[in-house]
Amino acid sequence: MTNSSNSVNANSKITSKLAAGIISARWGILVFFIAALAWLGLHISQFRIDASADTLLVKDNKLYIQTQVADETFAPQEFILLAYEPVSHDLFSRQTFDDIAALSAEIKKIDRVEAVTSIITVPLINDAGALTGDTDVASLSWEKQQYSPAQMKSMISGHPIFTDLLVNRQETATGIQIVFKDNPELVGIDKEITAIQAKVLDGESLSDADNKKIEALKAKADPIRQQLTAQRKAEIEQIEQITQSVSDRANTYLGGAYVVGQHLIDIIKSDLVNFGTAIAAVIVLLLALLYRSFKWVFFPLLSCAVSVFLTMGLFGLLDLRTTVISANFVALQLILTLAVMIHVIGSYREISRDNPAYSQRERIIATLEDKLSPCFYATLTTSVGFGALIFSGLQPVVAFGWMMLASMLITMAVSLLLFPALLSFLPASKETKEYGFIKALLERLRRLSMRAPLAVSGFVLIVFAVMAAGITRLNVENSFINYFDKNTQIYKELAFIDREFGGSTALDVIITLDEQNASQELVLTADSVAQLQLAQAAIKAFDATGSVTSVVNFTELAKQLNGGKPLTEYELTSIYRLLDEKVVNQLVGAYFSAEDNAFRISTRIQDTTEGLNRQLFMTQLQSDLKATGLDDSQYELTNLFVLYQDILSRLFDSQIKTLGIVYAVLALVLFAIFRSLKVTLIALLPNILTTLGILGIIGWSGISLDIMTITIAAIAMGIAVDDTIHFLHSYLSGMKQGDGSADAGSRSAFGHSGLAILFTSTIIATGFSLFGFSDFLPSVYFGLLTALAMLLALFTDLSLLPALLNRFVGKKSSG
């Protein structure tokens, strides 16, 4: 115990010199921060938000690269799906056709639009004779033929290709596909990147030169993507404006990856502004309520604003982009900066009341001597929590970890340099007293932990054991659609298109058949059709499978046109090539690569399917494909469904890894601070219980782990251990300055740090709880669960921690 007690003040001389140095250099500190604000302010315009689907995926692994390669070979052009659902007239009616024609005509005027495809523009064939002779298939559309509603219904109902693409199965809504022109330069850059990354698929490792080339290409592509993002936003707004012309007689829904991306950008911007403002307002209210003094509202708030401004400028300078995962960094920055300052304010107020004759300089130096070390260690341990995310193995989480590490450097500098420097310019004044009922509550908790440390410890351990049991119920099953509040426009659009137009998450099955099945003249040989029919039937067998399209659909169309009789291989190939060139390549992309002898089965999974288990789906699908006669080398699964499932499958391992790193590193840091194994273990236990408890609550609540909830436990422990350090520091200081008894340590800890711990936990929990009003459910869960974690940490720090210290560290009082 002597070592741990002595270690608290082992560096007191250094701390005193630093404290005096900070006050002496106050003008220099102010000049430095003003210069930093001016410099980083120049870069704040470069602050970027990136809400592309790629920010939610694990890049540069084989699955991602396979998807990129497959996309180059088979994928369609960029498109938006506009769904039209009549509310007062039949789908197959003149009103629908006129509306679609009018909408299409206006949409075609948008500069980047290449084509607008709908049921009135596609060729509609009602017999095989249309495919022979000199018939112009392109002329067989409603636009050219003005078919009657009855004719349109008979030709489109149950169409093997257009169902789920241009009309839903219930025939209550139709889709307009808006295809955009590619940017040739961007396409070329992406091909170069994919060509380099594809080496990984052949078992090669990328060299330093390869990686540098990729980074250079990405840098070249970035301004083009930025311009394209702005252009897409304008295009979506134009399309939404155009659809207003039919709003009195039809519901319209926009879908597509870029529409979702734009909605996400809007949500992130909204959360940054709204919750940053709301938390700032709550901070003002709570500070005014707790301290009843203008200076303790204005100066902390000014320091928080400087912290956020510098952080945004730094992110702009380093090109660290805010994603869905890091959208709450403003709130985190405000709360973390304030948490450090509250401990400084608490110490300053106590010193001012105890030593009214002290000058302002003496008060601040004494405050820094008291709080410089624990505040530094506290911000260090918080950095450990964020730093652990870097080792998660999940790219968006790793990026978030780096961003918060950078922000913690600014938090530390603002809280321990700028804030004291600002206070040094104020005159010394009388401080208000703390609320009596709060101090009385803390005194009751202190006495309880003194009288019955084992009983308190046992009670807390039982409570957390019950909570932690919920860990066995944790799951990673999730749906991207369910990330959004059901009352939001984005949820309604995603859910409608998912249900009515064959799913929303793309899954491609790429099948490579044996060389002997290939022919220069034939796309569809008898053997290839038979194999693809078996594979497609296996895919369709799942309840969650929505639209499934491949060359097999052409054989179904051919049979329909031929009176239910199969066509020859040459006739099938003719139909495929004819329709593929005219329509289908534009709608869903190519289905056949002659160069690779590879076929693509395009599938979309319905995320709204009740009870969908993605891992089970993938496992069963692979098993069923093998049962059709395909071996592992003949097929691969690609696209968003596979990539999203990949990131979900990594969550459990990532959670274990990040928590393990947090526990290990915090143990080393705590041991370095207190130099006592006993004190280190006592300090760790409440925080380990907090993380296990919050994970258990997630399990009991049935909330799925995702890329945001996965960060809660590590972050919560990193933040919560701050209060543990402050409590321990005060406890050990009280023992050293007193008679070494538990009573002396307990009085010092509760009297000196208890109030600040209560205030910081209350403000942090209140601030995070505001995320409960977000439209993005991962942010809701992140905010509410982190707030709950802080309350659990407060509970353990004021019950279990003092009980363990009283029982195993402090000496029993002689009285």
Short mmCIF file of all heavy atoms in Angstrom, two decimals, residues 35 50 52 82 224 239 322 373 414-415 641 667 675 687 692 714 735 752 767 808:
data_model
loop_
_atom_site.label_atom_id
_atom_site.label_comp_id
_atom_site.label_asym_id
_atom_site.label_seq_id
_atom_site.Cartn_x
_atom_site.Cartn_y
_atom_site.Cartn_z
N ALA A 35 -3.89 31.06 -33.13
CA ALA A 35 -3.22 30.68 -34.39
C ALA A 35 -3.75 29.35 -34.92
O ALA A 35 -3.96 29.19 -36.13
CB ALA A 35 -1.71 30.60 -34.16
N ASP A 50 -19.01 11.37 -45.80
CA ASP A 50 -19.03 10.28 -46.77
C ASP A 50 -20.03 9.24 -46.29
O ASP A 50 -19.81 8.55 -45.30
CB ASP A 50 -17.63 9.65 -46.88
CG ASP A 50 -17.58 8.60 -47.99
OD1 ASP A 50 -18.63 8.33 -48.61
OD2 ASP A 50 -16.49 8.05 -48.24
N SER A 52 -21.40 6.88 -48.46
CA SER A 52 -21.53 5.84 -49.46
C SER A 52 -21.63 4.48 -48.78
O SER A 52 -21.23 4.30 -47.63
CB SER A 52 -20.32 5.85 -50.39
OG SER A 52 -19.14 5.55 -49.68
N LEU A 82 -37.76 4.64 -59.65
CA LEU A 82 -38.90 5.46 -59.22
C LEU A 82 -40.14 4.59 -59.29
O LEU A 82 -40.56 4.17 -60.38
CB LEU A 82 -39.04 6.68 -60.13
CG LEU A 82 -40.32 7.52 -59.96
CD1 LEU A 82 -40.42 8.08 -58.55
CD2 LEU A 82 -40.36 8.64 -61.00
N ILE A 224 -13.65 13.96 -58.42
CA ILE A 224 -14.72 13.57 -59.35
C ILE A 224 -15.91 13.02 -58.55
O ILE A 224 -17.07 13.35 -58.83
CB ILE A 224 -14.22 12.51 -60.35
CG1 ILE A 224 -13.00 13.02 -61.11
CG2 ILE A 224 -15.34 12.12 -61.31
CD1 ILE A 224 -12.35 11.99 -62.01
N ILE A 239 -35.84 15.11 -59.38
CA ILE A 239 -36.80 14.02 -59.59
C ILE A 239 -37.95 14.11 -58.59
O ILE A 239 -39.12 13.92 -58.95
CB ILE A 239 -36.09 12.65 -59.48
CG1 ILE A 239 -35.08 12.49 -60.63
CG2 ILE A 239 -37.09 11.50 -59.50
CD1 ILE A 239 -34.14 11.31 -60.48
N THR A 322 -16.32 12.12 -42.04
CA THR A 322 -17.37 11.66 -41.14
C THR A 322 -18.28 10.69 -41.88
O THR A 322 -18.77 10.98 -42.98
CB THR A 322 -18.19 12.85 -40.63
OG1 THR A 322 -17.34 13.69 -39.86
CG2 THR A 322 -19.33 12.39 -39.75
N SER A 373 -2.54 15.68 -13.01
CA SER A 373 -2.20 14.27 -13.21
C SER A 373 -3.43 13.39 -13.44
O SER A 373 -3.49 12.66 -14.44
CB SER A 373 -1.40 13.74 -12.01
OG SER A 373 -0.13 14.33 -11.97
N VAL A 414 -7.19 21.46 -24.88
CA VAL A 414 -8.16 22.51 -24.53
C VAL A 414 -8.47 22.48 -23.04
O VAL A 414 -8.52 23.53 -22.37
CB VAL A 414 -9.45 22.35 -25.36
CG1 VAL A 414 -10.56 23.25 -24.82
CG2 VAL A 414 -9.18 22.67 -26.82
N SER A 415 -8.69 21.29 -22.49
CA SER A 415 -9.11 21.17 -21.09
C SER A 415 -8.00 21.52 -20.11
O SER A 415 -8.25 22.13 -19.06
CB SER A 415 -9.59 19.74 -20.81
OG SER A 415 -10.63 19.39 -21.68
N PHE A 641 -25.16 -8.04 -50.29
CA PHE A 641 -25.63 -8.97 -49.27
C PHE A 641 -24.46 -9.73 -48.66
O PHE A 641 -24.36 -9.90 -47.44
CB PHE A 641 -26.64 -9.95 -49.85
CG PHE A 641 -27.27 -10.86 -48.84
CD1 PHE A 641 -28.40 -10.47 -48.12
CD2 PHE A 641 -26.73 -12.12 -48.59
CE1 PHE A 641 -28.97 -11.31 -47.18
CE2 PHE A 641 -27.30 -12.97 -47.65
CZ PHE A 641 -28.42 -12.55 -46.94
N ALA A 667 -5.32 -2.07 -17.80
CA ALA A 667 -4.64 -2.66 -16.65
C ALA A 667 -3.19 -2.16 -16.56
O ALA A 667 -2.72 -1.80 -15.48
CB ALA A 667 -4.67 -4.19 -16.76
N ARG A 675 0.86 1.83 -9.37
CA ARG A 675 1.99 0.96 -8.99
C ARG A 675 1.61 -0.04 -7.90
O ARG A 675 2.38 -0.30 -6.99
CB ARG A 675 3.18 1.82 -8.56
CG ARG A 675 3.66 2.74 -9.67
CD ARG A 675 4.78 3.62 -9.22
NE ARG A 675 5.04 4.67 -10.19
CZ ARG A 675 5.90 5.66 -10.00
NH1 ARG A 675 6.60 5.72 -8.88
NH2 ARG A 675 6.06 6.58 -10.92
N ASN A 687 -15.28 -1.36 -13.80
CA ASN A 687 -15.39 -1.02 -15.21
C ASN A 687 -15.62 -2.25 -16.08
O ASN A 687 -16.34 -2.18 -17.08
CB ASN A 687 -14.12 -0.27 -15.64
CG ASN A 687 -14.00 1.07 -14.97
OD1 ASN A 687 -14.68 2.02 -15.32
ND2 ASN A 687 -13.15 1.16 -13.95
N LEU A 692 -19.62 -5.58 -19.18
CA LEU A 692 -20.36 -6.83 -19.25
C LEU A 692 -21.85 -6.58 -19.01
O LEU A 692 -22.71 -7.20 -19.66
CB LEU A 692 -19.82 -7.83 -18.22
CG LEU A 692 -18.37 -8.29 -18.41
CD1 LEU A 692 -17.97 -9.27 -17.32
CD2 LEU A 692 -18.18 -8.92 -19.78
N ALA A 714 -16.40 -0.73 -25.42
CA ALA A 714 -15.03 -0.21 -25.32
C ALA A 714 -15.02 1.28 -25.01
O ALA A 714 -14.25 1.75 -24.16
CB ALA A 714 -14.29 -0.48 -26.63
N MET A 735 -5.91 9.11 2.22
CA MET A 735 -5.23 8.20 3.13
C MET A 735 -3.84 8.72 3.49
O MET A 735 -3.42 8.68 4.65
CB MET A 735 -5.10 6.81 2.48
CG MET A 735 -6.39 6.01 2.45
SD MET A 735 -6.16 4.44 1.59
CE MET A 735 -4.79 3.75 2.49
N HIS A 752 -14.18 15.05 -2.11
CA HIS A 752 -13.36 15.77 -3.08
C HIS A 752 -13.76 15.46 -4.53
O HIS A 752 -13.81 16.37 -5.37
CB HIS A 752 -11.89 15.40 -2.86
CG HIS A 752 -10.94 16.26 -3.62
ND1 HIS A 752 -10.87 17.63 -3.48
CD2 HIS A 752 -10.00 15.95 -4.56
CE1 HIS A 752 -9.95 18.13 -4.28
NE2 HIS A 752 -9.40 17.13 -4.94
N GLY A 767 -26.50 14.06 -22.08
CA GLY A 767 -26.10 14.41 -23.44
C GLY A 767 -26.29 13.26 -24.41
O GLY A 767 -26.89 13.43 -25.48
N PHE A 808 -10.16 -3.74 1.29
CA PHE A 808 -8.86 -4.34 0.95
C PHE A 808 -7.69 -3.36 0.90
O PHE A 808 -6.54 -3.78 0.82
CB PHE A 808 -8.97 -5.05 -0.41
CG PHE A 808 -9.94 -6.18 -0.43
CD1 PHE A 808 -11.17 -6.05 -1.08
CD2 PHE A 808 -9.64 -7.38 0.21
CE1 PHE A 808 -12.07 -7.10 -1.10
CE2 PHE A 808 -10.55 -8.43 0.19
CZ PHE A 808 -11.77 -8.30 -0.45
#
